[in-house]
Amino acid sequence: MTTVRTRFAPSPTGFIHLGNIRSALYPWAYARATGGVFILRIEDTDLDRSNQASVDVILEGMSWLGMDPDEGPFYQMKRMDRYREVLAKLVELEAVYPCYMSVEELDALREKQMLAKEKPRYDGTWRPEPGKLLPPIPEGVKPVLRFKNPIDGVVSWDDKVKGLITISNQELDDLVIARPDGTPTYNFCVVVDDIDMQITHVIRGDDHVNNTPRQINIFKALGALPPVYAHLPTVLNEAGEKMSKRNGAKAVTQYRQEGYLADAMVNYLARLGWSHGDDEIFSREQFLEWFNLDHLGRSAAQFDEAKLRWVNAQHMKKMGDQELASHVKVFLDKENIATDDRLVPICGLFKDRCDTLVALAAWVRSFYASVEIPSEEREKHVVSSVLGAIELLSAKLEQLSETNWTKESIALVLKEVLADTGLKMPQLAMPVRVLLMGTPQTPSLDAVIALFDSKTVLERLRAVKN
Ligand code: GLU
């Protein structure tokens, strides 16, 4: 059996967003699922629009998501010699011909065709045929090279997403594959690369469906077997429009900054156009075990940020506290907040109430840096009738030795204070939470206090009057 070889071939012309990266996820997953090879190819021939910043986002995004290529990145701009070599071969095979039609002539032709309600297409003026007399070659004009598309017959392929697609060759005119300065054009480079890189499966966005019959014809002219194609439906944004930077799509790396886990992103993106029964939450390993090209969705998928947050929350819940803490630490480090071995249990205690690492880091921050107490919370909860109880609590907590600074002992102290003051737990717990963490909504108070160092607790409780 031949080894599966897939590729992701982005054009670095804008920040890669979730819709783009989904086109990387499936070829990557298919290669991994089949023990194949995943290749990264940067299609940077559009010199006006390509830029290094976009390349960086591609590389950083893929590395963050753990979608590392086995081969590449290959840059098309570095392969120009190879394209010229293959172009020379096509000339030799008489599969291309020079066309001297000027832009003005082409425009006039298009206008005429449109007036006649015909589809605009090159009319084959310069296409050599046996017995045909070509026009005289105009002086000083550098020709383009056009590909001799077959005149009759059809091109068809069994698309793994869309099913059998058949296009009549009459629909396809002779494509320009080299510009007057000899630089090759897009469709030609893609085919040369897919042949050289021995790609077996092209999995890409369905905005390329129209290129496929042209590309297949070039494969054939070069005596190569076309790969299997799978054209993925578009990813729509929340407003139902095609996702693009122009209408607010974020760079994929932005999600890392917003505190999403790579595995959650992979899980979420996987479900944007592929399914495994009703499974919504799965690990990277499960995904790679299950992934195949038979369950790709046929209709456009719509991005839903709330769902992404939910998926992320599920992954955070499932993750071991130690590992989660190492992810949270990255965010705290950025703020120069030093942590200690309490970080792991703090993450364990708070993870259930967070849907991003950023939200979890915000909770952790209260343990290591000063807290802002919103005045309305203070006014509402830290009322004069509880001040005595808070003072008593401070005094009793102060008596606890280092080794007794445990959830159990703290629970007993809290009980004693309630017994001594006649308050109910919420009457005491709410103001203490507000003083310690700036909010009355926290996990169980004994567990929270136990994770603070005693000095901070006493300081915050005694700052009650400030
Ligand atoms: N460079 C193309 C793009 O970014 C993809 C080409 C392909 O996958 O064949 O849309």
Side-chain angles (χ1 to χ4, degrees):
M1 236 179 71
T2 50
T3 305
V4 163
R5 292 175 62 87
T6 62
R7 77 332 186 254
F8 175 45
S11 305
T13 52
F15 293 139
I16 186 168
H17 54 65
L18 290 190
N20 305 132
I21 202 82
R22 206 241 358 217
S23 298
L25 182 74
Y26 295 161
W28 166 77
Y30 193 56
R32 291 289 167 272
T34 55
V37 176
F38 174 57
I39 295 158
L40 174 60
R41 178 168 88 219
I42 308 285
E43 303 202 326
D44 55 353
T45 54
D46 184 341
L47 293 181
D48 292 337
R49 295 175 60 227
S50 297
N51 61 74
Q52 187 57 40
S54 302
V55 173
D56 292 344
V57 174
I58 292 167
L59 299 179
E60 196 192 321
M62 290 177 72
S63 140
W64 170 48
L65 296 172
M67 290 163 31
D68 294 310
D70 303 301
E71 294 177 18
F74 298 109
Y75 293 82
Q76 286 191 321
M77 280 312 288
K78 295 202 177 133
R79 289 178 45 77
M80 284 297 153
D81 289 347
R82 174 63 184 148
Y83 303 136
R84 284 181 215 273
E85 197 176 291
V86 181
L87 216 46
K89 185 174 162 193
L90 282 180
V91 172
E92 204 175 293
L93 290 167
E94 295 181 6
V96 292
Y97 60 91
C99 166
Y100 295 86
M101 203 178 246
S102 65
V103 177
E104 295 74 35
E105 285 173 299
L106 279 169
D107 285 347
L109 175 65
R110 181 174 307 123
E111 213 157 291
K112 201 175 103 198
Q113 288 167 333
M114 304 248 279
L115 274 176
K117 301 224 173 338
E118 288 167 16
K119 199 169 143 192
R121 66 202 305 275
Y122 176 67
D123 64 357
T125 301
W126 289 90
R127 179 172 170 132
E129 302 289 357
K132 172 178 168 187
L133 196 62
L134 293 178
I137 294 178
E139 239 173 78
V141 178
K142 278 201 165 175
V144 297
L145 281 183
R146 284 189 186 270
F147 175 69
K148 254 190 193 172
N149 199 77
I151 291 186
D152 305 316
V154 296
V155 189
S156 68
W157 76 94
D158 190 7
D159 196 282
K160 291 304 254 177
V161 178
K162 297 181 182 292
L164 186 69
I165 299 185
T166 303
I167 308 287
S168 161
N169 273 320
Q170 282 177 355
E171 302 260 323
L172 309 170
D173 58 4
D174 290 350
L175 189 72
V176 173
I177 64 171
R179 301 185 184 91
D181 65 0
T183 54
T185 59
Y186 171 74
N187 277 294
F188 174 67
C189 299
V190 168
V191 173
V192 175
D193 288 347
D194 283 342
I195 294 174
D196 285 357
M197 296 169 194
Q198 297 172 294
I199 303 301
T200 58
H201 294 73
V202 168
I203 305 167
R204 63 183 172 197
D206 66 2
D207 44 338
H208 290 284
V209 168
N210 289 340
N211 290 326
T212 304
R214 297 180 178 285
Q215 292 181 4
I216 290 177
N217 281 336
I218 302 175
F219 268 94
K220 288 183 183 160
L222 286 166
L225 210 60
V228 172
Y229 289 94
H231 286 98
L232 308 167
T234 317
V235 178
L236 305 174
N237 66 15
E238 297 205 287
E241 307 146 340
K242 189 177 155 121
M243 194 177 260
S244 86
K245 195 186 159 201
R246 248 168 291 121
N247 52 29
K250 295 182 214 171
V252 61
T253 42
Q254 172 87 22
Y255 291 91
R256 176 187 218 172
Q257 289 160 27
E258 290 181 12
Y260 290 90
L261 290 166
D263 281 6
M265 291 302 291
V266 166
N267 181 165
Y268 178 75
L269 290 171
R271 288 284 296 108
L272 270 184
W274 169 86
S275 58
H276 181 266
D278 292 332
D279 292 305
E280 288 291 354
I281 301 298
F282 40 81
S283 68
R284 177 182 296 260
E285 290 71 30
Q286 280 170 318
F287 171 49
L288 295 181
E289 197 175 299
W290 294 334
F291 187 76
N292 60 38
L293 300 181
D294 301 330
H295 295 97
L296 293 172
R298 286 185 174 212
S299 46
Q302 190 161 7
F303 175 63
D304 175 352
E305 185 143 346
K307 171 120 186 248
L308 171 61
R309 292 185 91 87
W310 176 77
V311 170
N312 200 53
Q314 306 310 308
H315 278 261
M316 285 176 66
K317 258 185 218 168
K318 277 193 175 179
M319 187 173 264
D321 297 347
Q322 186 93 38
E323 195 183 350
L324 189 57
S326 69
H327 288 290
V328 171
K329 191 166 180 304
V330 174
F331 289 88
L332 297 163
D333 285 349
K334 274 194 240 166
E335 295 179 63
N336 292 322
I337 293 179
T339 55
D340 53 19
D341 52 13
R342 291 176 294 151
L343 179 62
V344 174
I346 294 173
C347 287
L349 185 61
F350 285 85
K351 69 179 179 183
D352 282 359
R353 41 188 75 219
C354 301
D355 52 15
T356 65
L357 297 170
V358 167
L360 184 50
W363 283 112
V364 174
R365 197 179 291 125
S366 305
F367 287 84
Y368 296 102
S370 61
V371 281
E372 223 22 78
I373 303 176
S375 54
E376 65 277 12
E377 298 291 9
R378 185 190 285 276
E379 277 157 30
K380 185 166 168 206
H381 298 284
V382 191
V383 290
S384 57
S385 55
V386 296
L387 296 184
I390 292 171
E391 217 173 300
L392 181 62
L393 175 64
S394 309
K396 282 179 180 288
L397 287 175
E398 200 169 20
Q399 299 302 310
L400 285 181
S401 65
E402 188 106 344
T403 45
N404 267 339
W405 193 263
T406 61
K407 179 172 180 267
E408 291 70 27
S409 314
I410 291 166
L412 281 179
V413 167
L414 287 166
K415 260 199 194 143
E416 282 170 24
V417 174
L418 295 181
D420 288 357
T421 58
L423 292 177
K424 297 262 174 288
M425 187 54 123
Q427 290 172 296
L428 176 65
M430 296 299 196
V432 172
R433 286 172 165 141
V434 168
L435 290 170
L436 293 180
M437 304 205 71
T439 166
Q441 266 103 39
T442 77
S444 158
L445 186 57
D446 47 3
V448 169
I449 295 181
L451 287 170
F452 271 97
D453 66 82
S454 52
K455 194 168 150 266
T456 307
V457 171
L458 296 177
E459 264 169 26
R460 289 188 189 173
L461 293 185
R462 284 178 172 156
V464 64
K465 291 178 200 86
N466 299 341

